[in-house]
Amino acid sequence: MIEKIFFKHAKQIYFKNILRQTQQSYSHKTTTAKIGTIVNANDPSFIGIETIFTNELKFIDKEYYDPVSTFRILNSVKDVQLPKDFKLTEEIFIKIYCKMITLNIMDKILYESQRQGRISFYMTNIGEEATQIGSAAAVSLEDIIYAQYREAGVLLWREYPIIDFMNQCYGNHKDTSKGRQMPVHYGSKKLNFVTISSPLTTQLPQAVGTAYALKQFKKDACVVCYFGEGAASEGDAHAAFNFAATLECPIIFICRNNGYAISTSTLEQFKGDGIAARGPAYGIPTIRVDGNDVLAVYYATKTARELCIKKGQPFLIEAMTYRLGHHSTSDDSTAYRSTDEINHWNYHTPISRYRDYLESTGLWCDQRDREFKKCVRNSILLALTEAEKELKPCWKELFTDVYYTMPKHIR
């Protein structure tokens, strides 16, 4: 069971491992120091801490711990062993691939649209399709989504219409946000997808608050909150983790660790073992997954959701992936990373890995792939053309939905 991979119970498992690894470190071949364990039944225990005493002075750092392992299923086409309780119909297997392809094609079309001056801004999801689609397929429509700005695939899985993506990016009068949001700042009350905010990390404490509300109302649902590893460097992330852990809120934190926070590499962001290492420190069961393996992401998220609702506690998933595109249309990523690095990852895309698997099982083929891509491209281009023809919102919409009773000077 994947449940065994999670840090299931921080007090029982995580701290025992720390003690074991610390003992091993003290007896390491590079030192002759030994632990002198001091146990006194009369000593009061420190509140909230499980520990042992030693008379040896020793500082510990990340070198004393094994790095968090990365869970994956698609090791290679010839070595794919699905877990025994992994149950998906052929229809869902194919739907996952189709949504990944649709997201990829939509990205390319809208990116080119911005370059042609037809829309003002865009952010692609290229290289991160598996993290979005895999996790979205594992949760319920009743679960509330708090996204950052690279989760269009989650909405796509929830059947958000292509035309609505286009209307939002063009900011026309059919845009549900009435042209008052930047492109790619989607939202849908119907699909339980909270409108995206531009400021970094604001969604994390908000998501925990919503999860706490679900707990209070005893809802059979959870909150799924997406964020990048760069957002985890903000203070709001630490507050949210602690808030969720201490109040035992039903929330799944999904970190997209794609290597870069705009132009800042992870090598410059933190010195610890990624984001996953932070989970147990806050008392949050945690797993690190191969974010380019859509089946691994699906299985980890599905298990996390079941445990999250059953136990009423937060879970953290760090999905290791790579951002193949620029951060946005305002960015030139070749200024801070080499083309060789990008090309290397281009040979290991989530879509190609999953397609190889589907073909090995007989669920997909070249002809079907060509026909599907052509159909999707035509439908997206048609929607784009329709959205482009629509009028902009009326200027009066600037103040609607802002005030319950509009002030006199605004009227």
Side-chain angles (χ1 to χ4, degrees):
M1 287 289 292
I2 193 176
E3 182 176 347
K4 295 180 181 178
I5 301 174
F6 279 91
F7 291 95
K8 295 191 296 181
H9 199 294
K11 290 183 179 179
Q12 294 180 2
I13 295 178
Y14 178 64
F15 288 109
K16 286 181 181 178
N17 286 339
I18 288 180
L19 297 180
R20 173 180 58 78
Q21 293 166 352
T22 303
Q23 289 171 337
Q24 291 174 349
S25 299
Y26 280 119
S27 58
H28 194 269
K29 63 182 181 180
T30 59
T31 179
T32 57
K34 295 181 180 179
I35 286 184
T37 303
I38 304 171
V39 179
N40 190 334
N42 295 323
D43 283 340
S45 59
F46 295 109
I47 299 173
I49 298 295
E50 292 187 16
T51 188
I52 60 173
F53 294 93
T54 177
N55 54 19
E56 297 289 338
L57 178 64
K58 196 78 173 180
F59 292 95
I60 57 176
D61 57 28
K62 66 178 183 178
E63 301 300 326
Y64 289 99
Y65 304 97
D66 293 330
V68 179
S69 58
T70 303
F71 173 71
R72 67 162 42 165
I73 292 177
L74 295 176
N75 294 312
S76 69
V77 175
K78 297 180 180 179
D79 184 29
V80 177
Q81 294 182 349
L82 298 180
K84 293 181 180 179
D85 58 340
F86 191 103
K87 297 179 180 179
L88 280 181
T89 63
E90 291 186 359
E91 180 183 1
I92 298 299
F93 271 114
I94 293 173
K95 180 181 177 181
I96 288 174
Y97 180 74
C98 290
K99 292 297 182 182
M100 292 170 73
I101 287 295
T102 301
L103 178 61
N104 186 266
I105 294 175
M106 183 176 76
D107 270 350
K108 292 174 180 176
I109 290 175
L110 283 172
Y111 182 86
E112 291 302 321
S113 177
Q114 191 281 334
R115 286 293 185 247
Q116 294 165 6
R118 300 162 80 174
I119 61 175
S120 61
F121 179 82
Y122 194 68
M123 303 180 81
T124 66
N125 307 271
I126 299 172
E128 301 178 54
E129 299 91 350
T131 297
Q132 299 177 37
I133 302 299
S135 58
V139 300
S140 166
L141 190 58
E142 299 303 314
D143 298 324
I144 300 173
I145 304 295
Y146 277 81
Q148 196 163 345
Y149 39 59
R150 224 177 291 279
E151 275 75 44
V154 178
L155 266 177
L156 199 61
W157 181 267
R158 294 192 167 201
E159 304 302 341
Y160 192 68
I162 293 294
I163 187 62
D164 287 351
F165 283 107
M166 301 299 148
N167 289 335
Q168 199 283 325
C169 287
Y170 273 89
N172 60 38
H173 74 101
K174 289 187 176 180
D175 169 22
T176 54
S177 60
K178 301 176 182 178
R180 296 177 299 197
Q181 285 274 21
M182 287 177 64
V184 309
H185 287 53
Y186 312 110
S188 173
K189 183 177 181 179
K190 177 183 177 181
L191 300 177
N192 275 331
F193 191 99
V194 179
T195 302
I196 295 166
S197 299
S198 282
L200 200 63
T201 326
T202 55
Q203 77 275 19
L204 267 76
Q206 295 168 359
V208 178
T210 298
Y212 186 66
L214 292 180
K215 176 182 178 179
Q216 293 298 93
F217 287 103
K218 296 180 170 55
K219 297 288 186 179
D220 188 25
C222 69
V223 173
V224 183
C225 181
Y226 295 86
F227 60 102
E229 87 289 337
S233 296
E234 295 286 337
D236 276 354
H238 300 279
F241 293 153
N242 201 44
F243 182 8
T246 55
L247 294 180
E248 298 182 327
C249 301
I251 181 171
I252 303 172
F253 294 106
I254 300 182
C255 174
R256 292 178 288 95
N257 190 337
N258 63 18
Y260 292 92
I262 307 183
S263 59
T264 306
S265 165
T266 53
L267 296 174
E268 301 173 58
Q269 292 182 58
F270 46 75
K271 289 294 184 182
D273 183 22
I275 309 304
R278 304 180 191 182
Y282 281 104
I284 300 176
T286 301
I287 190 170
R288 174 179 286 159
V289 302
D290 182 346
N292 292 339
D293 179 347
V294 70
L295 298 184
V297 174
Y298 167 81
Y299 191 49
T301 309
K302 179 176 179 293
T303 305
R305 182 185 183 275
E306 292 171 355
L307 295 173
C308 178
I309 294 176
K310 179 182 177 181
K311 297 185 176 183
Q313 66 181 111
F315 281 77
L316 170 62
I317 298 174
E318 181 181 23
M320 306 304 298
T321 181
Y322 186 81
R323 193 192 79 212
L324 281 171
H326 304 299
H327 175 73
S328 71
T329 49
S330 301
D331 173 49
D332 177 10
S333 63
T334 59
Y336 52 83
R337 60 180 181 176
S338 68
T339 53
D340 288 342
E341 177 184 307
I342 299 171
N343 291 335
H344 173 73
W345 281 97
N346 260 315
Y347 286 108
H348 304 278
T349 66
I351 290 179
S352 62
R353 284 176 64 182
Y354 188 52
R355 178 183 168 179
D356 288 344
Y357 170 71
L358 290 182
E359 290 181 346
S360 71
T361 60
L363 292 177
W364 203 252
C365 64
D366 281 341
Q367 181 180 351
R368 193 172 183 181
D369 198 68
R370 288 193 298 271
E371 292 174 352
F372 179 75
K373 288 178 179 177
K374 181 179 179 181
C375 179
V376 169
R377 179 177 175 79
N378 290 339
S379 64
I380 292 174
L381 287 173
L382 178 62
L384 181 142
T385 302
E386 291 178 3
E388 198 169 35
K389 292 177 180 178
E390 298 291 347
L391 297 173
K392 294 296 182 183
C394 175
W395 64 268
K396 294 181 180 180
E397 298 288 2
L398 200 61
F399 300 103
T400 55
D401 303 326
V402 178
Y403 302 97
Y404 180 74
T405 301
M406 192 178 294
K408 184 177 180 180
H409 71 284
I410 296 295
R411 290 200 305 271

